[in-house]
Amino acid sequence: MSGRFITFEGIDGAGKSTHVESVAQHLRQRGAELIQTREPGGTPLAESLRGLFLHQDMDGLTEALLVFAARRDHVQRVIAPALAQGRTVLCDRFTDASFAYQGGGRGMDLQVLATLAQWVQQGREPDLTFWFDVEPAVAAARRAQARDADRLEQLDLDFFERVRAGYQRRAESAPGRIVRIDAGDTIEGVAAQIRAELERRGW
């Protein structure tokens, strides 16, 4: 397998992180050399910015600028070099999250986000994005059982409804790249949906 860039998206509690490792195992069996990473994060600098993002109060524009700064370092130091070496990159969140959370959830101007994305990514986009779609109330119940809430996870269901709608708009704008996964299904059912898409692509 040549290097591919695969991202995993969805509101907090959708269950996407659970399935990153199973995708990694599947692709390794097919001969892929890969790395697993996340956003915000993936480099020492970006991980430091992640801590600020999750725990310090700030407005939507500050959130976006912080995440795109982390993303720039991540792309330069990790993602681009790995792809250039023919490795596959699995990333828990990427730019779709900015359009969903800061664009949909916070109501930021989408053109501003598009400009930031162009500056930071210089045209680089994922080859495939799995969007784990689930009702916000279901996701909230899962989060409550799994962990203490961070700054964003403490926001109300209306916020996450707007985030979900933001993801829906992104999916409609890039139907060849973004694949909706019914994340309300069982873990086994979600895994089957993912395998089916990978097999359809011959991956």
Side-chain angles (χ1 to χ4, degrees):
M1 280 184 65
S2 60
R4 296 191 175 100
F5 184 18
I6 302 174
T7 58
F8 300 76
E9 296 282 358
I11 63 175
D12 297 273
K16 58 186 170 49
S17 301
T18 302
H19 295 277
V20 176
E21 183 58 41
S22 62
V23 171
Q25 291 176 0
H26 171 88
L27 295 176
R28 285 192 184 101
Q29 290 171 356
R30 299 293 296 270
E33 293 186 15
L34 57 84
I35 64 168
Q36 295 168 237
T37 188
R38 68 177 182 178
E39 288 209 347
T43 70
L45 172 59
E47 289 291 336
S48 296
L49 295 176
R50 177 188 179 90
L52 296 174
F53 175 80
L54 292 179
H55 301 295
Q56 296 292 322
D57 188 40
M58 63 190 75
D59 70 359
L61 178 57
T62 306
E63 285 179 358
L65 293 171
L66 201 64
V67 170
F68 274 105
R71 182 166 298 135
R72 176 63 177 172
D73 196 58
H74 193 205
V75 169
Q76 281 195 305
R77 296 180 184 273
V78 176
I79 295 173
L83 294 174
Q85 294 164 7
R87 302 168 73 187
T88 290
V89 176
L90 305 184
C91 190
D92 188 342
R93 298 198 190 284
F94 195 60
T95 302
D96 294 310
S98 297
F99 280 86
Y101 276 80
Q102 283 72 53
R106 299 296 196 193
M108 271 196 67
D109 186 334
L110 299 183
Q111 188 54 53
V112 171
L113 295 174
T115 298
L116 290 171
Q118 180 58 39
W119 287 351
V120 166
Q121 295 158 228
Q122 298 181 335
R124 183 179 301 281
E125 293 286 351
D127 298 296
L128 170 63
T129 297
F130 289 113
W131 167 38
F132 290 72
D133 184 31
V134 68
E135 293 284 346
V138 172
R142 291 176 178 175
R143 294 195 304 271
Q145 293 177 346
R147 59 182 179 268
D148 293 333
D150 62 36
R151 182 177 65 87
L152 289 180
E153 291 173 345
Q154 294 174 15
L155 296 172
D156 60 24
L157 289 180
D158 286 344
F159 173 81
F160 285 102
E161 289 285 3
R162 296 193 299 274
V163 173
R164 186 188 188 191
Y167 274 123
Q168 179 65 47
R169 287 191 293 272
R170 290 292 283 177
E172 290 169 355
S173 71
R177 172 175 68 84
I178 301 176
V179 175
R180 179 186 177 274
I181 299 295
D182 178 4
D185 202 348
T186 63
I187 290 176
E188 295 78 11
V190 170
Q193 293 177 62
I194 294 169
R195 284 196 304 272
E197 179 60 28
L198 292 173
E199 291 169 3
R200 187 185 73 81
R201 292 172 180 253
W203 297 4

